[in-house]
Amino acid sequence: MTVEAAHLTSIMEWMSAKGVKELDLTENGVRFQIVRDESVPPVTVGGASTKDQQSILPASKPAPDNLTIKAEMSGLCHLKPNPASAPFVQVGDTISAGQTLYVIEAMKVMTSVSAKAAGTLEEILITNGVQVDPGTPLFRISA
C-alpha cells in the first residue's frame, strides 16, 4: 500500500499550522512518522515540495528529539492505572522499551501507550488526568 504525496503534504501543512512537531500515523497499512525539524532543509515528497522544514523518518528510527516523550493522540492522559494505584512510572525509574508509560482516554476508550526506547525518567511534564493533544510533551528521559 502507498500513501499519496499530496496527502502527506497536506498532513505536514496541518502539522505546521497547528504547531505539531511530531506525528506517528498508520494509514492504509503504512506506518510513518513525521517530525518537523527546523535544522533540516525543506524536503520534496514525491515531487511535491513542503512549505515548512520537515523530514519524514522511518518509524523504526528514533525522532531527533528522543529525550522528550510526547502525546501520540488527543484525550485525557492518565498516569495511573486507577486513582488508588501508584503511577505507571516515577521520576528516577529506569524505563524499558515496551513498558507502559500512560493511558489516553478518548471517547471512553482507553489506549495504553508504551515506551519506544529505554532510558531513565528525568521529569514528568504534566499532571494526572489532564487533556493533551498530539505532540504535547509528557516526559523527559535520558538515554
Side-chain angles (χ1 to χ4, degrees):
M1 299 299 252
T2 62
V3 178
E4 294 292 322
H7 182 58
L8 283 176
T9 301
S10 68
I11 291 171
M12 290 186 280
E13 288 172 352
W14 172 85
M15 289 174 63
S16 180
K18 296 291 185 182
V20 176
K21 293 191 178 205
E22 183 175 334
L23 181 68
D24 192 341
L25 185 65
T26 302
E27 255 187 29
N28 299 328
V30 177
R31 181 172 179 230
F32 55 95
Q33 182 178 39
I34 302 172
V35 179
R36 292 179 55 225
D37 185 354
E38 284 73 27
S39 68
V40 175
V43 297
T44 300
V45 181
S49 179
T50 61
K51 293 181 181 176
D52 194 15
Q53 296 177 351
Q54 302 176 23
S55 61
I56 300 175
L57 302 176
S60 62
K61 290 185 179 179
D65 182 13
N66 64 357
L67 298 179
T68 300
I69 297 172
K70 300 174 184 170
E72 297 180 359
M73 58 190 289
S74 294
L76 292 177
C77 186
H78 298 285
L79 301 177
K80 301 176 178 186
N82 63 58
S85 297
F88 290 107
V89 293
Q90 297 182 47
V91 173
D93 286 356
T94 299
I95 298 170
S96 56
Q99 179 179 348
T100 300
L101 299 176
Y102 62 98
V103 171
I104 290 286
E105 178 183 357
M107 299 180 69
K108 304 293 181 193
V109 175
M110 305 296 232
T111 304
S112 294
V113 181
S114 302
K116 291 178 179 42
T120 302
L121 183 62
E122 299 294 329
E123 186 177 8
I124 299 173
L125 304 172
I126 61 162
T127 58
N128 189 49
V130 300
Q131 176 72 32
V132 297
D133 293 315
T136 301
L138 305 175
F139 306 98
R140 291 202 196 285
I141 64 167
S142 61

